[in-house]
Amino acid sequence: MPGLIESYAVIGNCETAALVGRDGSIDWLGLPRFDSAACFAALLGGPENGRWQIAPSSSPLQVTRRYQQGSLILETEFETADGCILLVDYMGRRDAGTDLVRLVRGVRGRIQMRMELTIRFEYGSVIPWVRRLDDGRLTAVAGPDRLTLATPAAVHGEGMSTVAEFEIGEGEEIPFSLTWSPSFRAIPEPVDAGAVLDIVSGFWREWSKAHSIEGSGEWAEAVLRSALTLKALMHFETGGIVAAATTSLPEQLGGARNWDYRFCWLRDATITLYALMNSGFIDEAQAWREWLLRAVAGNPAQMQIMYGIAGERRLTEYEVTWLRGYEDAAPVRIGNAASDQLQLDVYGEVLDALYQARRMGLPFSEAAWDLERALLGHLETIWDQPDEGMWEVRSGRRHFTHSKVMAWVAFDRAVRSIDEFGLSGPREKWDALRDRIHARVIRYNIQAVESWRKLSAS
């Protein structure tokens, strides 16, 4: 059975992410992107839906975990009656494919270990064809996907899974690497696990140097850890920021509000950018701004509240019936129908994020300001309409105070951009709209309070 949500740690390579349980089992991973079909989907079903576990054969007495400083390299320490081992998990990236590497290191004593790899492509439903290569590696293929396992440990098939039973002693190290690559291309050369560790460690160490600890005080490490998690959700090539690495984890156990969050919400991305920019990471804001220009390009009236990682617009929602859902919270959904909703607040969040980026020194972009003006021109015609709001209601559009306030924010930031940065635009018109929205919000809320008082009195 999968662990509790809070028991998982995340590893990633800014292209995709995996969830690692305290029991040494990777229960969620989509390759090669965050939104790709999962090859390990035990999180939403069971071991039969795909996972990769490495752990002592006997139940451990104690399990402790930590990340290497300033990185997403995860270390899990298993204490048993026979000794102690360290499991090091990390992800690398190369042109030929994506590497998931697991190092087993003997710390003390001698421990019997078990590795069980169950590959199930297409969200836990497709059993691959597995064969052994001349160099001893195993390759698993189904359709466009291929995973290649390399390890010096002896492996064998067992119940449609790949298993290894081995011992490890103090000072010994046994690597396991799993490489994804398109099945129609040549199989990538095996990786040197130690060399990948050095590359990954160097990348995160260099990135973390930009972290501004001003104002963090005793929470500096926690703030950096949060920033690392946010960075892990930002695609290295497109600049898109996904809201989460998973789908269908429920808002309430046993409930049906289980959504796919592996997409780029404009609202969520702007909040992420605030956190990163305030921590000293300005490059991410610039990459996201370029992503935004590409994603929103076209008619402003067709701007969506969310897009795919590369700016895809069609995010068709459907249900995966063969997965029972986390804690039986069904249905499991792929895609998100909210992409077709009207949510007026995103205009304010986008305009505010770009305004804050200017204040923090992001170089001026004429294309970005042109986009902002175009979005404001469309918002002028729709700000007073009902919408689905940030709650993404599916019971019909309504008038939400939050949506109206954020529309006010959009025009307010536009006026401020003219006043503070000397940008060009119809300031008087935007100022008048700002005042008009403010008056509407105040009036509606006064009416709401009066109605509530009358209802309470009766």
Side-chain angles (χ1 to χ4, degrees), residues 4 17 37 98 106 117 169 180 195 220 232 252 255 289 320 353 369 399 402 407-408 421 455:
L4 299 175
T98 300
L117 173 63
W180 177 90
Q252 180 180 354
R289 186 175 68 182
V320 173
W369 180 241
H399 286 285
H402 177 262
W408 176 91
F421 300 99
L455 183 62

Side-chain angles (χ1 to χ4, degrees), residues 334-353:
I334 308 301
N336 202 307
S339 58
D340 294 327
Q341 291 186 349
L342 172 65
Q343 297 179 23
L344 293 171
D345 63 289
V346 298
Y347 290 88
E349 278 127 7
V350 168
L351 267 290
D352 185 50

Side-chain angles (χ1 to χ4, degrees), residues 22-195:
R22 291 180 58 84
D23 60 352
S25 180
I26 297 178
D27 288 346
W28 180 262
L29 174 62
L31 290 166
R33 295 199 327 183
F34 299 103
D35 58 349
S36 298
C39 57
F40 300 147
L43 179 69
L44 301 179
E48 70 278 7
N49 299 118
R51 69 167 184 170
W52 188 11
Q53 184 178 38
I54 301 178
S57 299
S58 60
S59 297
L61 301 175
Q62 181 176 321
V63 179
T64 57
R65 293 189 299 178
R66 58 187 175 269
Y67 285 103
Q68 289 187 10
Q69 177 68 27
S71 78
L72 282 185
I73 300 170
L74 178 68
E75 298 181 343
T76 304
E77 193 170 81
F78 293 95
E79 291 271 3
T80 75
D82 299 316
C84 176
I85 68 100
L86 186 68
L87 176 62
V88 184
D89 290 320
Y90 51 97
M91 295 188 72
R93 186 180 63 242
R94 51 179 167 151
D95 292 339
T98 300
D99 299 305
L100 171 57
V101 184
R102 316 193 76 182
L103 294 179
V104 183
R105 291 174 175 169
V107 177
R108 185 179 65 256
R110 192 159 191 85
I111 299 179
Q112 183 69 32
M113 301 288 296
R114 178 179 173 86
M115 186 281 296
E116 182 177 321
L117 173 63
T118 303
I119 299 172
R120 296 293 183 267
F121 292 115
E122 197 57 41
Y123 298 106
S125 65
V126 176
I127 301 173
W129 181 265
V130 180
R131 64 185 178 91
R132 191 178 295 272
L133 303 177
D134 292 340
D135 61 6
R137 289 182 293 168
L138 292 184
T139 183
V141 174
D145 297 299
R146 175 174 58 217
L147 284 171
T148 304
L149 174 68
T151 179
V155 299
H156 64 276
E158 187 178 298
M160 293 296 181
S161 296
T162 299
V163 173
E165 304 276 359
F166 60 97
E167 285 188 350
I168 187 164
E170 182 177 340
E172 297 177 350
E173 180 177 278
I174 299 178
F176 295 82
S177 64
L178 192 64
T179 300
W180 177 90
S181 59
S183 62
F184 46 85
R185 293 180 183 167
I187 298 176
E189 292 295 315
V191 298
D192 181 316

